[in-house]
Amino acid sequence: MVGEKEIIYVGIDPGKSGGVGVIYPDGSAEAWYTPIISTRKKSPRKKTASGKPYVKVTKVYDEEGMFRLLGKFRKLKRSGKTLRVGLERVGAAPRDGRTSAFNFGMGWGLWRMALTASGLSYVLVEPSKWRPALVGKGADKKESLYLARKLWPDVDMPLMKDEAKAEALLIAEWIRRYEKG
């Protein structure tokens, strides 16, 4: 049995505005946003209220970036380190549109495939389990960000959008605590 101090915990909050977080055996942590590619296209006809050309921003998953990000963990595993990876099990909400639901599901599937292709086994973590256990029932993303900043003050999370990295770290933390009993 591997000692708890030797295990590296990884959490993944899927979605285009998601993140990946890792907690090392010494308690230090790192976090990243889900790799995406953004393209900007000016509309020749549409204008903003100020008269400037309307710019449409399209975001798509960066599959190669996702695989590259997991490369760090592949190397750790190859060097003999023990990893516990948790991927948040999420689904589309009933209020989501068809395109939104499709894109969200596609991202979740891409993370599963990237983990599998990387040779990293993972567990699916229910938000209904980790969130109440760590931030409380009914807590929102602000509370997740606040807790993560408190637990890992050295991780750069100054913006509200950093809740993605915070939640990924909290998923990893939930797995760590769950394994300890």
Side-chain angles (χ1 to χ4, degrees):
M1 176 89 182
V2 175
E4 188 235 322
K5 293 185 180 203
E6 302 171 31
I7 301 173
I8 297 167
Y9 296 93
V10 180
I12 301 174
D13 177 10
K16 288 180 186 171
S17 59
V20 177
V22 58
I23 303 169
Y24 296 103
D26 65 2
S28 65
E30 289 184 280
W32 305 268
Y33 297 115
T34 292
I36 58 165
I37 298 170
S38 295
T39 56
R40 301 169 61 86
K41 185 175 180 183
K42 286 184 181 179
S43 172
R45 293 180 298 235
K46 276 180 127 178
K47 304 283 184 201
T48 64
S50 64
K52 294 181 182 176
Y54 175 79
V55 178
K56 180 179 179 165
V57 178
T58 305
K59 295 179 179 183
V60 296
Y61 292 97
D62 179 0
E63 293 99 339
E64 288 181 34
M66 295 163 86
F67 189 71
R68 274 194 311 275
L69 178 56
L70 294 177
K72 176 179 191 109
F73 307 118
R74 285 191 303 274
K75 287 177 187 171
L76 288 168
K77 183 180 177 192
R78 278 197 301 266
S79 73
K81 304 289 184 200
T82 301
L83 282 87
R84 299 284 192 271
V85 181
L87 174 63
E88 188 176 41
R89 181 193 295 247
V90 288
R95 65 189 173 280
D96 290 345
R98 282 185 254 169
T99 302
S100 175
F102 177 81
N103 286 329
F104 192 76
M106 185 173 85
W108 191 67
L110 287 171
W111 274 120
R112 292 184 71 181
M113 181 54 71
L115 286 162
T116 301
S118 295
L120 300 170
S121 58
Y122 60 93
V123 295
L124 299 176
V125 180
E126 301 283 342
S128 61
K129 300 261 193 278
W130 77 260
R131 186 181 293 277
L134 293 177
V135 291
K137 189 172 178 154
D140 64 12
K141 293 177 183 285
K142 274 195 273 189
E143 278 119 350
S144 294
L145 183 56
Y146 174 77
L147 177 60
R149 285 174 177 161
K150 187 175 163 186
L151 292 172
W152 302 284
D154 293 336
V155 177
D156 187 31
M157 296 185 280
L159 307 172
M160 189 58 213
K161 74 175 188 170
D162 291 327
E163 58 80 16
K165 296 191 286 188
E167 294 212 331
L169 284 166
L170 291 172
I171 291 166
E173 176 65 9
W174 184 83
I175 295 168
R176 189 186 72 78
R177 291 183 186 187
Y178 183 80
E179 282 195 351
K180 286 172 74 174

